[in-house]
Every structure is written in C-alpha cells, then in structure tokens.
Amino acid sequence: MQADPTRKRGVTDLVGSLPLIIFACVLIYISFNAPNFLTLRNLELILMQSLPVVLVCAGLGAVVMAGGDDVVSGGIDLSIPATAVLSAGITAVMLSQGWPLAICAGVALLACLSVGLLNAALVTRIGMTPLLTTLAMFVAVVGVNNVITSSRRIDVDHPWIVALRAQEIAGVPLGIIAVALVVAAIYFALHRTRWGLNLQAAGGSRDAAEISGLPVSRLFGQSFVLASGTGYICGFFVLARGSGSSPGVQDNLMLEMVLATFLGAAFSTRRVVTMWGAVLGAVLVAAISIGFKSIGVNVFWTGLIKGSLIVIVVALSALAQRGR
C-alpha cells in the first residue's frame, strides 16, 4: 500500500518546522525566567550582538545557494569565521602600529579575498570536497592570525570602529544600519541580477545548469569569494563588539553561523537555506545566547546546548529533504 502523498507532505512539513518550534519553546522558557528579556532595550542588544553572525550567515547562505544544501557534497564554507578573525587581527595589529585605517582595511581585504580565491581554486579546480577544504582552511587561517597577533588581545579604540558600536542615526545604531545595507546589497545581487539567478540555478540543479550552458564551477567559485567578502566586513564588527581583537572568537562564531544558517531553512516553504532565513536564524541564535546569560546558564552548558541544537537542526533538515 502506498503512503498518502498529502499525509507524507504534512509529516515532512512538520519535521521541517520542528527547529523553529524548539527555538520558540526555548525563547518562551527564557522570557518567563528573565522578565526583562523582551524589553526594547534588550531587543536592541540582541540585534547588536547578532551583527557579526548575520554577516557570516549571509556569506554561508550564498555558498549553500550556489552549491546546493547537501552538507557534505554541496555548498558549505566553514572558513568564513576564520576569515573574519583574520580581518580583525590584521586591522588591529596595523592600527596599533599607527597605520591609517584605510591602509589597514586594504591589506585585510587582500588577505580575506585570497582565502576566498584559494577555497574556490581547491574546490572547483582540484575537486576537493567543500566541507573538508573549508574546514582545513579554517584551521590554517586561524593559525596565520595567531602568528600575526601573537595570540594576544589587541585593544582597538579607533573612532570609526567605535562608531559601529556606539553611534546612532535617528535613534538607530549605525552598526544595524550598516549591516542591513550590506545584507540588502547581497540579497539584490543574488535575487535581482542575472548573475545571482544563474548562481541559484547552478545550486538548484547542477546537471540541469550544465546542460543549459551555465558556468557552474565558476559561479560556485565566485560564491566563495563573496563569502570571504562578508568575512572581511564581519571583522570590523568583531572589533567593534569586542573593543578589539581577541583569540578564540572564531570558534563560537562558526558554531553560531552553522546553527543559524540551517535553522533559517525552517523559514522557507521549501525548507532550503535562504538569505533572509539565515539572517533571521542569526537573530534567533543571538537571542538564545543572551537569554541564557540573563538566566545565569553556565557558558560551558551554553556551548553544549548550541552543539546539540546544531545536531538536531541539521538532522531534521536532512529528514525533511529526504521526505521531499
């Protein structure tokens, strides 16, 4: 006897929605135990804390859209948080040596784009698996940054960096406005340009895209460069949020990036990674992190919970994909 297609689709939709249901339950629990959690001041804090995660999620979302949402063989870039830390580290070191911010930013940009180009070459030219390639690149780039910064904290008080954290325009923090503009530009490039539509077509069905004559490998490689660009921009918000460059930031950033991006798939009717879904996922993850701190959850338990949520979210995404 064949399964009822309507019933099967309903079960698939439920499985795909479970990550949001789980997060909603966690947020409800936090709101009951932290009375000030839903105040406007705290919501602004959540948005400010989510800005670096939003940027790396936007980059990862572009790579997933270009390569497909299969975690192993599809689009994935785990090196973006390391690229962000490299951007922050180079900028912090050069600023501490008295270099102008423009020159610091230019050097950091060249370094970050080099990471993206190397990822693209290894994946599209040599044929390495994106997951292993970018994981290895993550480790290598963190090592380079540790050499540059000597694995020490470097304080940054440059007015432009501080402005990303403290400046407001019409009552809205400058950092939120800047990130919103960056995400809007990426969304426009991916959804309102011929290049972006071709990139999505390549990720939706590689075989069909190749038959239609699209340069699939080149488009996939370009998504890695775009992702490295988001990592570069994220570096300045890492400096702003932490008032400088600190070792170890990349680990939590990668954890939250993966969790938020694949959580965002639950916002899509097709249960696939989308740009806005990844952004909303980043805000939810930031809300969870701040919520746990407000109710006094130990930081080690917070890491364990986030890791468990990644397993759950990715497993449910795989089940929903199989159901489709």
Side-chain angles (χ1 to χ4, degrees):
M1 179 181 293
Q2 294 184 347
D4 183 3
T6 304
R7 181 180 179 183
K8 183 178 179 180
R9 181 176 180 180
V11 173
T12 301
D13 290 341
L14 177 60
V15 171
S17 301
L18 279 178
L20 285 182
I21 296 174
I22 293 172
F23 266 73
C25 292
V26 173
L27 289 174
I28 291 172
Y29 173 80
I30 292 173
S31 63
F32 275 114
N33 289 272
N36 297 325
F37 181 68
L38 295 179
T39 61
L40 289 177
R41 177 59 183 167
N42 197 59
L43 292 176
E44 180 181 311
L45 175 62
I46 290 171
L47 288 177
M48 290 296 295
Q49 290 295 310
S50 71
L51 296 182
V53 186
V54 167
L55 288 167
V56 294
C57 285
L60 179 57
V63 176
V64 174
M65 292 167 67
D69 56 2
D70 188 300
V71 177
V72 177
S73 61
I76 191 77
D77 188 350
L78 300 179
S79 68
I80 307 175
T83 305
V85 170
L86 178 64
S87 173
I90 291 174
T91 303
V93 169
M94 294 187 67
L95 284 176
S96 67
Q97 295 174 350
W99 289 91
L101 179 60
I103 296 178
C104 302
V107 174
L109 177 61
L110 290 176
C112 294
L113 291 181
S114 297
V115 175
L117 289 169
L118 187 54
N119 277 334
L122 292 173
V123 172
T124 63
R125 300 298 181 184
I126 298 180
M128 294 178 63
T129 305
L131 178 64
L132 296 179
T133 300
T134 57
L135 180 59
M137 190 64 67
F138 174 90
V139 177
V141 172
V142 170
V144 171
N145 183 67
N146 288 339
V147 171
I148 292 173
T149 63
S150 300
S151 296
R152 72 186 193 279
R153 173 175 172 79
I154 303 174
D155 294 327
V156 173
D157 59 359
H158 192 281
W160 284 99
I161 303 296
V162 174
L164 292 176
R165 179 181 69 250
Q167 186 67 37
E168 293 186 351
I169 298 178
V172 180
L174 176 62
I176 294 177
I177 295 174
V179 171
L181 291 174
V182 171
V183 172
I186 296 174
Y187 178 84
F188 179 84
L190 291 176
H191 293 274
R192 294 293 184 268
T193 66
R194 183 175 180 179
W195 171 79
L197 295 177
N198 287 340
L199 183 142
Q200 292 188 64
S205 176
R206 185 183 184 91
D207 292 337
E210 289 179 341
I211 292 173
S212 64
L214 293 178
V216 175
S217 295
R218 187 173 68 189
L219 289 167
F220 192 23
Q222 289 169 350
S223 71
F224 286 106
V225 179
L226 174 60
S228 67
T230 63
Y232 163 72
I233 299 172
C234 177
F236 295 95
F237 286 89
V238 169
L239 290 175
R241 187 173 70 174
S243 299
S245 173
S246 300
V249 174
Q250 68 280 346
D251 297 329
N252 188 61
L253 193 56
M254 182 171 74
L255 190 72
E256 294 188 342
M257 176 188 74
V258 174
L259 176 57
T261 302
F262 287 95
L263 169 66
F267 289 102
S268 167
T269 56
R270 297 187 296 120
R271 301 295 181 258
V272 296
V273 172
T274 63
M275 183 61 57
W276 293 120
V279 170
L280 291 173
V283 176
L284 281 180
V285 170
I288 292 289
S289 299
I290 292 177
F292 284 153
K293 289 180 182 179
S294 64
I295 61 177
V297 176
N298 186 286
V299 65
F300 300 110
W301 279 103
T302 300
L304 174 61
I305 294 170
K306 287 181 181 178
S308 301
L309 287 173
I310 287 178
V311 174
I312 294 171
V313 167
V314 174
L316 291 175
S317 177
L319 289 174
Q321 185 179 15
R322 181 182 298 179
R324 293 195 302 272

